[in-house]
Amino acid sequence: MPHDRQPPRPLTVLHVAQPVDGGVAAVVTDLADAQGRAGTRVHLACPPGGTLAETAATAGATVHPWPAGRAPGPALPAETRRLARLVRRLGPDVVHAHSAKAGLAVRLALRGRLPTLFQPHAWSFEAVDGAAAALALRWERAAARWAARVVCVSEEERRRGAEARIAARWAVVPNGVDLGRFRPAAPAERVAARAALPALDGVSAAAPLVVCVARLCRQKGQDVLLRAWPEVHAAHPGARLALVGDGPDRAALLHAAPGGVLLAGATADPVSWYRAADLAVLPSRWEGMALAPLEAMACGRPAVLTDVTGARESLPADLRRHCLVPPEDPAALARTLRRLLADATLREHIAHRAQHHVRTTHDVRHTAAAVSELYRDLTGGPYPEHRERIER
């Protein structure tokens, strides 16, 4: 009598992430949620603090504390050993490292002995200068051989890596957003959203509101935005600029903030801010593909971006002349914000086109499906045999 065939065991993935907030945390949480719903066993190693551990656990991931600093340092060998021990204990089929620090530690720990995906979420060598940039680039060139796939969130990010002579096995999976959560609001919902935000107490409901949702750090360029704001505020005296987020530059930005600027602090749910806004802005110095503008556009808000990696791919082609400005150019940023705040009809046109673009090209379900397909390609199906190699 034939034996009943055992059902295939679910795939097990270990995500490793540092940092633990901002866009990277959102991407990892969305992947954990979608993969768990599809039957994958999802584990996450990340440092304590931030929002990631809590949001990923709520999404169904099993979270393992991984104390690790944001930058390489003397603790790196110990961080790497802790990861290696965790991998041996969990026996995952795939390890997916997010951002430069996790990519460094994971590839040092595994050295290709297990299917490894590295997702830079913006190249580390573009975030620094001089010797630090040269060292980061040298590492990425050497470590590419230990990644079964290097996953870029935009074609431009892949191109920049290839032009930097990183010989990787590339995959491009554009960022996506949860279209059920980030959706347009009816006029009454917009009014209610603004009224529910304590940071806007005392601000007229008719005051134009520009919102920048991002970690307060050099990458995101809020200092450039503050230099642009006096010109915007002079043309629109009632306008307010809300910096929504927290980070290492908070004190400096608070000190430099001109009139009409609010530092609203971090938020667990930016949807209300997008709905309350007339305009979203992200003046980044570098990116892979920023998530916040996609979220804002999915909520039916126009977004102004700096023309860094991934920005053009975030927008329909006909909106680039309205919504893209050069990075680190406060005068150009001020002109664009002034023009859009003065033209409600143009803002509504941009919002409608941008929302349609995000809904058709940046659905997080498509992003998660593409990543899961990479996992299947690397493991050969539901019965992967790679686990033995790491346990030896």
Side-chain angles (χ1 to χ4, degrees), residues 91-115:
D93 301 307
V94 179
V95 179
H96 190 157
H98 297 268
S99 216
K101 178 57 180 294
L104 171 62
V106 165
R107 287 179 288 177
L108 283 175
L110 301 184
R111 299 183 187 240
R113 297 192 299 270
L114 195 69

Side-chain angles (χ1 to χ4, degrees), residues 177-184 271 275 298 359 363-365:
V177 297
D178 181 346
L179 299 178
R181 178 186 175 202
F182 296 98
R183 57 178 180 78
V271 173
R275 290 180 171 177
R359 294 194 70 84
D363 187 330
V364 74
R365 293 172 298 181

Side-chain angles (χ1 to χ4, degrees), residues 228 231 304 324-326 329-337 339:
E231 182 179 333
V304 174
L324 285 180
V325 299
D329 188 338
L333 182 57
R335 286 194 300 272
T336 297
L337 294 177
R339 183 173 68 251

Side-chain angles (χ1 to χ4, degrees), residues 66 75-85 104-106 108-110:
W66 176 52
L76 179 62
E79 295 165 353
T80 301
R81 287 193 298 270
R82 281 194 290 269
L83 270 184
R85 288 195 296 267
L104 171 62
V106 165
L108 283 175
L110 301 184

Side-chain angles (χ1 to χ4, degrees), residues 190-198 200-201:
R190 291 197 61 206
V191 172
R194 184 178 283 217
L197 292 167
L200 297 181
D201 285 350

Side-chain angles (χ1 to χ4, degrees), residues 107-375:
R107 287 179 288 177
L108 283 175
L110 301 184
R111 299 183 187 240
R113 297 192 299 270
L114 195 69
T116 300
L117 286 82
F118 169 52
Q119 191 163 348
H121 298 277
W123 290 111
S124 58
F125 53 82
E126 295 186 332
V128 289
D129 299 310
L135 182 62
L137 178 56
R138 192 179 314 148
W139 157 253
E140 293 297 348
R141 288 171 178 165
R145 68 186 187 275
W146 292 331
R149 294 289 186 277
V150 174
V151 182
C152 295
V153 295
S154 64
E155 175 59 32
E156 188 177 0
E157 185 181 40
R158 184 209 63 79
R159 180 181 59 78
R160 293 177 78 87
E163 289 176 350
R165 293 186 286 119
I166 298 171
R169 292 171 286 271
W170 302 103
V172 177
V173 181
N175 275 339
V177 297
D178 181 346
L179 299 178
R181 178 186 175 202
F182 296 98
R183 57 178 180 78
E189 290 179 297
R190 291 197 61 206
V191 172
R194 184 178 283 217
L197 292 167
L200 297 181
D201 285 350
V203 176
S204 167
L209 179 64
V210 179
V211 169
C212 176
V213 177
R215 188 168 184 262
L216 305 183
C217 62
R218 182 175 180 275
Q219 176 191 358
K220 300 301 181 179
Q222 290 96 341
D223 59 313
V224 180
L225 180 55
L226 293 188
R227 294 203 297 275
W229 186 250
E231 182 179 333
V232 180
H233 198 235
H236 302 277
R240 294 292 182 270
L241 168 64
L243 304 185
V244 182
D246 204 352
D249 288 0
R250 177 178 176 81
L253 293 170
L254 183 62
H255 178 74
V261 176
L262 311 169
L263 268 72
T267 179
D269 186 3
V271 173
S272 293
W273 280 104
Y274 295 136
R275 290 180 171 177
D278 295 286
L279 187 61
V281 59
L282 188 66
S284 301
R285 288 182 165 91
W286 69 88
E287 293 285 356
M289 174 182 279
L291 205 59
L294 298 178
E295 295 172 347
M297 292 187 291
C299 288
R301 296 296 87 208
V304 174
L305 301 76
T306 43
D307 194 2
V308 294
T309 302
R312 289 177 174 265
E313 293 167 63
S314 299
L315 293 164
D318 59 314
L319 294 189
R320 292 170 187 166
R321 64 191 180 96
H322 297 298
C323 299
L324 285 180
V325 299
E328 299 199 68
D329 188 338
L333 182 57
R335 286 194 300 272
T336 297
L337 294 177
R338 284 180 57 187
R339 183 173 68 251
L340 291 177
L341 286 178
D343 193 337
T345 301
L346 178 59
R347 290 202 309 273
E348 287 306 308
H349 166 73
I350 291 170
H352 178 76
R353 288 284 296 117
Q355 180 205 344
H356 176 76
H357 176 74
V358 171
R359 294 194 70 84
T360 54
T361 61
H362 293 286
D363 187 330
V364 74
R365 293 172 298 181
H366 300 159
T367 301
V371 171
S372 292
E373 186 62 31
L374 290 175
Y375 295 169

